[in-house]
C-alpha cells in the first residue's frame, strides 16, 4: 500500500480505515477527525505498508447532519441520500497499491472492472431519463432472477459478464 485518498462530502465528520492482518493484528491506515471537505488529497505513506492476502479492510464513517454542523448546506437540515453531488453524501477510500505478483495484478484488474460495472448498474438504476429507464428495465428483466426489483450482489456477475462480452463497458 503506497497511499490512501479519503473522500466524503459536506456532512462528513470522521473516517477511520483499519486493516486487520491475517494474524489478527489491527493496523490503522488513516484516521480523520473533524473532516474538512476541502481536504481530499492522497495521503502517501512514508514507508509502504504490506497488506498480505487475507487482510480485511474496515471503514468506520460518521456524518453530522445537524444544525450544529457549520458545513451543512441545508438550513434546516433535511434527509440526505447517497449521491455524487456535494449536497448529497457518500464516502470512498481509494487505495494506491502495488500487487506483489502478476497473479495479484490480474485479480486487482478484475476487481476494478467488477467495481466499474457495479457503479454503472447503480447509476443506471438511479437515472430518470426515458432511455436509461428502458436500459434498466432490460437489465431487470434479464438479470433480476429473484424478481425483487433490484440487482442483488449475487445477480451482478451475470450482468457484468454480459456487459464485458458485448463491449458495453
Amino acid at each position: 500500500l503506497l497511499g490512501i485518498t479519503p473522500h466524503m462530502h459536506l456532512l462528513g465528520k470522521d473516517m477511520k480505515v483499519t486493516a486487520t492482518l491475517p494474524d489478527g493484528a489491527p493496523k490503522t491506515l488513516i484516521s480523520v477527525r473533524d473532516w474538512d471537505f476541502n481536504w481530499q488529497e492522497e495521503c502517501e505513506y512514508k514507508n509502504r505498508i504490506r497488506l498480505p492476502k487475507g487482510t480485511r479492510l474496515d471503514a468506520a464513517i460518521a456524518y453530522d447532519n445537524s444544525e450544529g454542523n457549520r458545513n451543512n448546506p441545508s438550513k434546516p437540515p433535511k434527509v440526505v441520500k447517497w449521491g455524487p453531488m456535494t449536497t448529497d453524501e457518500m464516502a470512498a477510500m481509494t487505495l494506491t497499491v502495488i500487487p506483489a505478483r502478476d497473479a495479484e495484478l490480474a485479480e486487482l484488474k478484475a476487481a476494478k472492472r467488477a467495481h466499474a460495472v457495479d457503479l454503472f448498474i447503480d447509476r443506471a438504476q438511479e437515472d430518470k431519463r426515458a432511455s436509461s429507464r428502458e436500459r434498466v428495465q432490460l437489465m431487470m428483466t434479464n438479470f433480476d432472477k429473484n424478481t425483487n426489483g433490484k440487482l442483488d450482489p449475487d445477480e451482478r456477475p451475470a450482468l457484468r459478464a454480459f456487459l464485458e462480452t458485448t463491449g458495453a463497458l
Side-chain angles (χ1 to χ4, degrees), residues 10-11 64-80 87:
L10 297 170
L11 299 179
D64 182 357
N65 191 20
S66 72
E67 290 184 24
N69 178 356
R70 68 189 184 293
N71 296 318
N72 193 337
S74 301
K75 310 277 191 240
K78 65 178 184 177
V79 173
V80 177
T87 54

Side-chain angles (χ1 to χ4, degrees), residues 38-55:
N38 297 305
W39 181 78
Q40 296 189 55
E41 300 294 325
E42 180 178 21
C43 302
E44 293 182 29
Y45 297 110
K46 193 179 269 189
N47 299 305
R48 293 178 182 175
I49 298 174
R50 178 146 169 71
L51 299 175
K53 186 173 186 171
T55 298

Side-chain angles (χ1 to χ4, degrees), residues 55-153:
T55 298
R56 188 184 80 226
L57 300 176
D58 295 293
I61 300 157
Y63 301 94
D64 182 357
N65 191 20
S66 72
E67 290 184 24
N69 178 356
R70 68 189 184 293
N71 296 318
N72 193 337
S74 301
K75 310 277 191 240
K78 65 178 184 177
V79 173
V80 177
K81 295 183 179 181
W82 180 93
M85 303 304 293
T86 304
T87 54
D88 299 324
E89 198 46 77
M90 49 87 81
M93 288 70 49
T94 303
L95 303 177
T96 304
V97 299
I98 298 175
R101 289 174 273 183
D102 289 342
E104 291 173 337
L105 180 58
E107 287 178 24
L108 184 63
K109 286 181 178 179
K112 188 175 180 180
R113 273 194 311 276
H115 179 68
V117 174
D118 286 343
L119 285 176
F120 170 81
I121 294 166
D122 292 340
R123 288 179 181 150
Q125 290 183 110
E126 294 172 359
D127 198 325
K128 304 294 185 228
R129 294 175 292 186
S131 61
S132 293
R133 277 198 308 271
E134 292 166 7
R135 285 195 307 265
V136 170
Q137 186 56 48
L138 180 63
M139 286 190 311
M140 300 309 281
T141 301
N142 291 314
F143 298 100
D144 181 20
K145 299 302 181 195
N146 63 5
T147 64
N148 67 350
K150 63 182 181 174
L151 292 173
D152 297 319

Side-chain angles (χ1 to χ4, degrees), residues 4-8 15 30 32 35 39-41 43 92-94:
I4 187 169
T5 306
H7 179 86
M8 291 191 289
M15 177 188 294
I30 193 166
V32 180
W35 174 260
W39 181 78
Q40 296 189 55
E41 300 294 325
C43 302
M93 288 70 49
T94 303

